[in-house]
C-alpha cells in the first residue's frame, strides 16, 4: 500500500484593513449588484503600509507552528506573485520571523496564481522520499490593479499556509494530476510595475481553456471519472469565476454539477478579494470550515495561474478533519479588519510600493503579529 501524504494543517491570514465594495460602487458610480452578483464579491482586504506578503504569510503560518512545533520542518516554500525582492526569497524573511530551524531550506516560487500548487507538488515529493520530514508551504499575495479600471473591485490580499506531511489530518492528495501550460498574454506584471497588466476577457477564456485541457490530461493519465468527485474547489480571482469554471466543467464532461458542490468554497474569498496563489487554498479553508459532511469525500481542485499554467488534482478528506479546522481563528481575522473609506484605501494603494532608494521607517499601524518596518541600507526590515 502506498503512503498517504497530503495537507496536515492549514491556516489563513489576511490584511489589516477592509473596504466594503458597496462604498467603491458608490464612489465610482457603479450599481453595487455588479460587484456583489456580477463578480460575486462583497469586500476586499487592504494591506496597511506595515504589511506585505511576508507579514501576511508568516501570520498564516504561526498557528500551524504553535500546533505542530518547528522541528520536523526542513523545507519552507513561499509561493507568490507579489515578490518583494528580485533575488532574495520571501521564504528567507518568513523563516526568520517564524523562528524556523536553521537546518531548513527556503525558496520562493512564481507563476502568477498557480505557484502554490507547484510548491505543494514539490512538497509531496520531498515527503515521499523522507516521510519523517514536513514541508511548510506559504502562499501569500496582494492583488493590485490600477484604480478606476474594471479589475479594481477584484483586488484583495491574503495568505494561506499549509503543512505537507505523511498521514495527513486534513486532506490526502492523490498522485494523478492533469497539467497544461500555454503561453498567453492574459495577465502579467512587468518588473517595473506595482500593478498587474490584464486583458480581463482573455484571462477568463484562458482560464476556462486551461481547465478543459488539464481535465483531458487528467483523464488520459487515469484520473477518476467526474462522478467520483464530490466537491469542487476552483481558483477564485472573484467568486463568480468559480461559477464559470464549474459550468465549463459540467459542459466539458457532459454531466450535471450542482452549485452546492463548490459554493461553500467561496465564503472567505467573497470577503478577502483575490489573493492570487492563496485563493484556491482559501477556497479549501472555507470548504473544510463550513462543510460538515466532507469525511472520506473527494475534492477536485482547479489551479490556474495566468500566463498560463493549469493543474487539476484531487484529494480525499480525512475522517477526523473537523477536529483540526480553524473557523474561529479565521473569523476573528476577517472580522478584526478595520474598515477604511475609499479615500483611505486609495491612499494605501498608491503608498504600497516603497522605494528602496532611501532609508525609511514605517510606523506600526495594523495589529497582526508581524510588521514591515521600513528600508535600511536598501534592505527590507521586519519585526515580530
Ligand atoms: N447586476 C448584476 N450583474 C451585473 C450587473 C448588475 N447591475 N452589471 C454587470 N453585471 C455582470 C455582467 O453581466 C457580467 O456577468 P457575466 O460574467 O455573467 O457576463 C459581470 O457582472 C462582469 O461584468 P462585465 O462583463 O461588464 O465585466 P467587467 O468589464 O466589469 O470586467 C473582469 C470583469 C474582466 C473580471 C474584470 O474585473 C477584470 O479584468 N478582473 C481581473 C482579471 C481576472 O480576475 N481574471 C480572471 C481570470 S484570470 C485568473 O484567474 C488569474 C488571476 O487571479 C488574475
Amino acid at each position: 500500500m502506498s503512503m498517504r501524504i497530503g495537507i496536515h494543517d492549514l491556516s489563513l491570514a489576511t490584511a489589516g484593513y477592509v473596504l466594503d465594495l458597496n462604498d467603491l460602487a458608490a464612489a465610482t458610480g457603479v450599481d453595487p449588484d455588479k460587484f456583489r452578483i456580477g463578480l460575486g464579491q462583497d469586500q476586499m482586504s487592504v494591506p496597511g503600509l506595515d504589511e506585505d506578503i511576508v507579514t501576511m504569510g508568516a501570520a498564516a503560518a504561526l498557528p500551524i507552528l504553535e500546533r505542530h512545533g518547528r522541528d520536523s520542518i526542513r523545507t519552507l516554500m513561499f509561493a507568490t506573485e507579489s515578490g518583494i525582492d528580485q533575488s532574495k526569497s520571501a521564504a528567507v524573511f518568513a523563516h526568520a520571523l517564524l523562528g524556523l530551524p536553521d537546518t531548513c531550506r527556503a525558496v520562493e516560487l512564481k507563476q502568477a496564481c498557480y505557484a502554490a500548487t507547484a510548491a505543494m507538488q514539490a512538497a509531496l515529493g520531498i515527503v515521499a522520499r523522507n516521510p519523517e520530514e514536513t514541508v511548510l508551504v506559504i502562499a501569500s499575495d496582494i492583488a493590485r490593479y490600477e484604480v478606476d479600471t474594471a479589475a479594481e473591485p477584484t483586488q484583495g490580499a491574503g495568505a494561506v499556509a499549509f503543512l505537507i506531511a505523511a498521514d495527513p489530518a486534513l486532506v490526502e492528495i492523490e498522485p494523478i494530476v492533469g497539467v497544461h501550460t500555454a503561453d498567453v498574454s492574459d495577465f502579467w506584471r512587468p518588473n517595473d510595475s506595482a500593478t498587474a497588466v490584464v486583458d480581463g476577457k482573455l484571462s477568463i477564456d484562458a482560464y476556462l481553456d486551461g481547465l478543459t485541457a488539464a481535465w483531458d490530461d487528467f483523464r488520459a493519465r487515469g484520473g477518476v471519472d467526474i462522478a467520483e468527485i464530490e466537491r469542487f474547489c476552483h481558483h477564485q480571482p472573484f467568486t463568480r469565476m468559480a461559477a464559470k469554471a464549474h459550468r465549463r466543467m459540467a459542459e466539458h464532461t457532459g454531466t450535471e454539477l450542482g452549485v452546492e458542490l463548490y459554493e461553500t468554497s467561496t465564503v472567505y474569498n467573497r470577503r478577502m478579494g483575490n489573493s492570487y496563489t492563496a485563493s484556491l487554498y482559501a477556497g479549501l479553508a472555507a470548504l473544510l470550515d463550513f462543510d460538515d459532511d466532507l469525511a472520506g469525500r473527494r475534492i477536485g481542485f482547479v489551479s490556474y495561474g495566468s500566463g498560463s499554467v493549469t493543474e487539476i488534482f484531487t484529494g480525499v478528506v480525512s475522517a477526523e478533519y473537523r477536529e483540526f479546522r480553524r473557523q474561529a481563528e479565521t473569523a476573528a481575522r476577517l472580522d478584526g479588519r478595520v474598515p477604511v473609506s475609499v479615500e483611505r484605501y486609495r491612499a494605501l494603494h498608491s503608498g504600497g510600493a516603497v522605494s528602496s532608494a532611501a532609508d525609511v521607517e514605517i510606523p506600526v499601524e495594523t495589529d497582526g503579529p508581524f510588521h514591515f518596518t521600513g528600508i535600511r541600507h536598501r534592505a527590507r526590515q521586519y519585526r515580530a
Side-chain angles (χ1 to χ4, degrees):
M1 208 182 93
S2 67
M3 201 193 332
R4 295 173 64 249
I5 311 175
I7 300 175
H8 193 46
D9 196 2
L10 182 134
S11 157
L12 183 150
T14 189
Y17 298 120
V18 59
L19 178 69
D20 192 309
L21 291 187
N22 281 345
D23 296 343
L24 185 64
T28 53
V30 173
D31 179 351
D33 282 351
K34 175 167 185 189
F35 298 162
R36 292 198 183 274
I37 300 167
L39 297 176
Q41 291 301 125
D42 297 334
Q43 302 175 328
M44 67 191 201
S45 289
V46 178
L49 296 178
D50 62 340
E51 294 182 298
D52 68 6
I53 53 161
V54 171
T55 64
M56 287 192 303
L62 192 58
I64 294 179
L65 306 183
E66 286 166 351
R67 187 186 271 173
H68 298 282
R70 291 161 170 81
D71 296 349
S72 67
I73 300 174
R74 283 179 59 80
T75 304
L76 168 60
M77 296 202 198
F78 200 116
T80 187
E81 181 273 0
S82 340
I84 40 117
D85 192 280
Q86 294 289 355
S87 170
K88 184 170 173 177
S89 77
V92 171
F93 290 105
H95 174 275
L97 286 176
L98 291 167
L100 286 170
D102 52 13
T103 50
C104 177
R105 61 170 77 85
V107 70
E108 181 173 313
L109 292 88
K110 170 174 69 186
Q111 173 38 50
C113 313
Y114 164 72
T117 300
M120 183 192 72
Q121 291 296 351
L124 292 165
I126 289 168
V127 175
R129 284 177 70 118
N130 298 295
E132 76 290 351
E133 294 182 15
T134 62
V135 178
L136 180 62
V137 176
I138 296 176
S140 181
D141 267 314
I142 297 169
R144 266 200 198 100
Y145 297 99
E146 279 183 44
V147 299
D148 281 322
T149 63
E152 183 180 21
T154 71
Q155 296 178 117
V160 175
F162 53 90
L163 194 66
I164 296 294
D167 198 16
L170 294 178
V171 186
E172 176 195 358
I173 302 298
E174 298 183 294
I176 298 178
V177 303
V179 288
H180 184 252
T181 292
D183 187 353
V184 189
S185 296
D186 63 331
F187 166 106
W188 67 99
R189 191 164 63 79
N191 277 347
D192 56 359
S193 178
T195 51
V197 182
V198 65
D199 179 337
K201 303 294 173 200
L202 177 64
S203 73
I204 291 171
D205 289 343
Y207 178 142
L208 297 175
D209 292 346
L211 182 156
T212 57
W215 176 262
D216 291 346
D217 183 52
F218 176 74
R219 291 292 285 158
R221 289 262 158 182
V224 297
D225 188 85
I226 191 80
E228 289 176 54
I229 299 179
E230 300 170 279
R231 297 289 187 278
F232 289 85
C233 206
H234 307 284
H235 168 54
Q236 298 168 39
F238 50 96
T239 70
R240 260 303 294 294
M241 189 66 220
K244 293 178 194 289
H246 203 63
R247 198 184 317 129
R248 172 63 70 91
M249 184 69 93
E251 283 164 11
H252 185 62
T253 57
T255 48
E256 272 189 32
L257 301 174
V259 295
E260 71 283 359
L261 301 185
Y262 80 88
E263 249 178 351
T264 306
S265 74
T266 65
V267 171
Y268 293 145
N269 286 291
R270 282 193 82 89
R271 300 182 63 190
M272 261 192 337
N274 200 352
S275 57
Y276 291 159
T277 193
S279 141
L280 177 68
Y281 298 90
L284 174 60
L287 205 51
L288 293 170
D289 284 352
F290 297 109
D291 190 329
D292 289 334
D293 185 28
L294 283 183
R297 294 198 187 277
R298 179 177 285 111
I299 304 173
F301 296 85
V302 177
S303 181
Y304 175 74
S306 289
S308 69
V309 179
T310 312
E311 181 159 339
I312 289 181
F313 60 98
T314 57
V316 177
V317 179
S318 79
E320 71 274 18
Y321 78 101
R322 277 183 302 199
E323 290 165 50
F324 302 101
R325 53 193 186 177
R326 298 180 179 276
Q327 301 111 319
E329 281 169 52
T330 303
R333 284 176 158 172
L334 287 165
D335 297 345
R337 294 172 300 174
V338 175
V340 287
S341 65
V342 172
E343 201 180 17
R344 181 83 197 286
Y345 137 67
R346 290 227 167 145
L348 289 164
H349 185 282
S350 54
V354 179
S355 164
S356 72
D359 283 7
V360 59
E361 266 190 48
I362 306 277
V364 168
E365 60 175 291
T366 57
D367 66 0
F370 304 105
H371 305 277
F372 167 57
T373 57
I375 305 285
R376 204 181 312 138
H377 306 310
R378 303 211 63 187
R380 293 176 80 84
Q381 308 294 319
Y382 293 92
R383 193 166 63 217

